[in-house]
Amino acid sequence: ILDVGTLSVGKGEKRKVTFCYENRGTAPLEITHYEAGCACAKVKLPKKPLKPGKKGKLVVTVDASNLDDRGVYGNVITIYTNSPQQYTRIRVKGVFVD
């Protein structure tokens, strides 16, 4: 679970949080795409596959500038890969205020 804290909707704040991961497999890990529960969350995907045994980071940006809702924010982002598991879910939470 990644916590973006409190974001001001009226000021159109953006916040970046980082999700760290490791390739524990024997083949390069490729992140192919993602799906987010709302358009306010974007993920910067790596350009190259991650070699076995290496660690990587995904940067998630939550943008409150086009939102009308206030209150507790929760979003699930599904990250799709070429691994046998095929996907991983990341939860992002925070609070949107005026």
Side-chain angles (χ1 to χ4, degrees), residues 27-97:
L29 178 66
E30 184 178 350
I31 297 177
T32 58
H33 65 285
Y34 73 93
E35 292 177 356
C38 79
C40 62
K42 305 282 187 215
V43 180
K44 183 175 181 183
L45 299 178
K47 295 178 182 177
K48 296 180 181 180
L50 188 67
K51 293 180 182 180
K54 298 294 181 179
K55 295 181 181 181
K57 296 178 183 179
L58 292 177
V59 177
V60 178
T61 302
V62 176
D63 183 352
S65 60
N66 293 322
L67 299 176
D68 294 326
D69 295 336
R70 302 327 186 249
V72 176
Y73 166 75
N75 191 359
V76 175
I77 300 170
T78 305
I79 307 293
Y80 293 93
T81 71
N82 64 335
S83 74
Q85 183 181 337
Q86 297 181 347
Y87 65 88
T88 297
R89 289 196 172 109
I90 301 171
R91 293 183 50 155
V92 180
K93 69 175 189 170
V95 178
F96 293 149
V97 297

